[in-house]
């Protein structure tokens, strides 16, 4: 299995508080992604990174920010959590242009905003 | 990226082959077919991908029609642990690698 870890694995927080989720990889892959998964919507891309300090928005980026200061770490921040951000968050990695396109996913973080 | 159409659900007997179809009639010449699956509560797992030739790995086989408008993922000897949601995704191999997930096919393997 690809070396991807996510922390925390579970978190309960209150509306209005900031939350940061961490994705860590040991594969030295260039691309990293954050997805959220909700019932009835499948997986949707929030943000992605194509290198250190290089990030871009996905289809559901409102209310989220990301940062990548090192190749191995990709952080997802909810500046002020809302109940609509209760979801399961998955991180993924890919070699990108040097590979053949497959992505490898982490175990997920279950976030509950009360 | 081309849109795909998959049946919502399928059943398969344990030990038999599971054949999961996918339609992608608007696929472009440089787009690949990727298959992922998601076992309950886990992160999606890459299975296989192909461009136009049939592909096989330790997990599955991928059969792509000659016109590339449809494909079939084959799990040769399904086990109960293959019960999952299977996603067919069409996209270019290079570039940002963004995946657009549809609803997938829920495969139930029954004893």
């Amino acid at each position: 299995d690809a070396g991807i870890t996510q922390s925390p694995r579970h978190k309960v927080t209150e509306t209005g508080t900031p939350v940061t989720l961490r994705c860590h990889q040991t594969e030295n892959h260039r691309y990293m992604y954050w997805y959220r998964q909700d019932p009835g919507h499948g997986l949707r891309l929030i943000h992605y990174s194509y290198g250190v300090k290089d990030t871009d928005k996905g289809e559901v980026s409102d209310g989220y920010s990301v940062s990548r200061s090192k190749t191995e770490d990709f952080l997802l921040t909810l500046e002020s959590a809302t109940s609509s951000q209760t979801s399961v968050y998955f991180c993924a990695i890919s070699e990108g242009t040097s590979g053949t396109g497959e992505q490898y996913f982490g175990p997920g973080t279950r976030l509950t905003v009360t | 990226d081309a849109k795909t159409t998959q049946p919502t659900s399928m059943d398969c007997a344990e030990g038999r082959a599971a054949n999961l179809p996918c339609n992608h009639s608007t696929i472009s010449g440089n787009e690949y077919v990727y298959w992922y699956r998601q076992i309950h509560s886990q992160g999606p797992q890459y299975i296989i991908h192909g461009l136009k030739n049939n592909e096989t790995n330790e997990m599955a086989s991928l059969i792509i029609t000659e016109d590339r408008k449809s494909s079939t993922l084959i799990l040769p000897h399904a086990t109960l642990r293959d019960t999952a949601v299977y996603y067919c995704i069409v996209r270019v191999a290079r570039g940002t690698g963004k995946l657009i997930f549809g609803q997938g096919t829920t495969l139930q393997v029954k004893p």
Side-chain angles (χ1 to χ4, degrees):
Chain A
D1 290 341
I4 310 169
T5 57
Q6 293 185 230
S7 58
R9 294 292 313 280
H10 302 272
K11 186 172 182 65
V12 179
T13 191
E14 295 183 348
T15 298
T17 60
V19 177
T20 296
L21 308 182
R22 180 184 183 232
C23 177
H24 179 78
Q25 62 150 326
T26 59
E27 305 297 321
N28 201 36
H29 281 2
R30 177 183 177 188
Y31 285 80
M32 299 185 75
Y33 310 82
W34 277 108
Y35 294 86
R36 62 177 288 175
Q37 185 169 34
D38 307 292
H41 286 281
L43 283 103
R44 293 180 291 173
L45 182 66
I46 305 172
H47 281 280
Y48 67 98
S49 168
Y50 47 98
V52 173
K53 299 185 179 179
D54 292 323
T55 65
D56 205 349
K57 297 179 179 180
E59 59 181 313
V60 289
S61 59
D62 288 347
Y64 301 95
S65 63
V66 290
S67 65
R68 191 170 178 199
S69 59
K70 298 184 291 184
T71 299
E72 57 266 35
D73 289 325
F74 192 33
L75 304 181
L76 177 70
T77 297
L78 291 66
E79 300 291 347
S80 178
T82 68
S83 58
S84 64
Q85 294 175 312
T86 292
S87 187
V88 180
Y89 292 85
F90 290 102
C91 173
I93 64 174
S94 173
E95 289 184 280
T97 54
S98 63
T100 51
E102 57 265 37
Q103 291 187 15
Y104 299 94
F105 287 77
T109 294
R110 184 172 297 274
L111 176 67
T112 302
V113 183
T114 62
Chain B
D1 293 337
K3 182 177 179 179
T4 62
T5 303
Q6 300 177 251
T8 302
S9 63
M10 295 181 62
D11 290 341
C12 178
E14 188 178 21
R16 304 296 295 270
N19 297 282
L20 292 90
C22 179
N23 288 319
H24 31 79
S25 58
T26 59
I27 192 170
S28 300
N30 63 344
E31 290 182 317
Y32 286 68
V33 180
Y34 291 83
W35 283 84
Y36 288 78
R37 73 179 182 183
Q38 187 173 25
I39 298 170
H40 181 62
S41 298
Q42 298 180 19
Q45 177 187 24
Y46 165 78
I47 301 173
I48 197 168
H49 75 281
L51 181 63
K52 54 184 177 181
N53 297 321
N54 298 338
E55 302 288 345
T56 297
N57 63 20
E58 65 279 3
M59 289 183 65
S61 295
L62 174 60
I63 308 298
I64 302 174
T65 58
E66 191 170 346
D67 63 7
R68 304 209 320 123
K69 293 184 177 182
S70 66
S71 60
T72 301
L73 178 74
I74 301 173
L75 308 178
H77 305 286
T79 71
L80 299 178
R81 290 182 296 178
D82 291 321
T83 293
V85 179
Y86 287 78
Y87 298 98
C88 170
I89 299 170
V90 173
R91 55 168 291 270
V92 295
R94 305 293 182 179
T96 61
K98 291 186 287 184
L99 296 176
I100 299 176
F101 286 82
Q103 296 303 309
T105 296
T106 299
L107 175 68
Q108 181 72 48
V109 180
K110 298 185 175 181

